[in-house]
Amino acid sequence: GGGEVTLTLEELQECIPTGQSVEDEVQNHELVLVINTFVKSLPLTERRIFICRYWYFDSIATIAKDFGLSQNNVKITLYRTRQKLLKILEQEGVFL
């Protein structure tokens, strides 16, 4: 990932709880379900940008080039998408 893995995981850190107990494992399973549903609900371009960043760990520059957007536009899109995800996680009780 060219150093992007650590950076992208840090960006998502505020949205994803961590832990080791059985209770945490159940919560992690719920988290996966909520995130999958959330990603499927996104508009196509927003979904593709989110997946490029957080699944493929593409750099902001690469995503901007691939989508014909400015890097700032990509950053704003990702920020807003993370905020939507955080809100959904809070509503679902996955993120306390």
Side-chain angles (χ1 to χ4, degrees):
E4 292 298 316
V5 173
T6 302
L7 182 60
T8 55
L9 292 176
E10 286 174 4
E11 290 172 4
L12 283 174
Q13 185 175 3
E14 67 187 36
C15 298
I16 300 176
T18 60
Q20 300 298 323
S21 72
V22 173
E23 198 172 80
D24 289 333
E25 290 298 320
V26 170
Q27 187 175 20
N28 287 340
H29 178 70
E30 291 175 18
L31 175 65
V32 169
L33 293 175
V34 171
I35 290 174
N36 284 338
T37 301
F38 170 77
V39 170
K40 289 177 186 177
S41 75
L42 293 172
L44 182 60
T45 300
E46 194 174 334
R47 180 183 332 145
R48 291 179 65 214
I49 290 170
F50 189 86
I51 290 170
C52 285
R53 183 66 173 161
Y54 300 116
W55 181 259
Y56 295 110
F57 302 108
D58 290 346
S59 69
I60 300 294
T62 298
I63 295 168
K65 180 182 172 197
D66 290 349
F67 286 85
L69 302 169
S70 70
Q71 289 187 36
N72 192 50
N73 192 301
V74 170
K75 289 176 186 178
I76 290 168
T77 298
L78 289 168
Y79 173 79
R80 289 178 179 163
T81 305
R82 287 193 312 270
Q83 293 305 304
K84 289 180 198 176
L85 175 58
L86 182 58
K87 184 177 178 179
I88 294 293
L89 292 174
E90 289 171 343
Q91 288 173 348
E92 294 294 324
V94 176
F95 185 74
L96 304 174

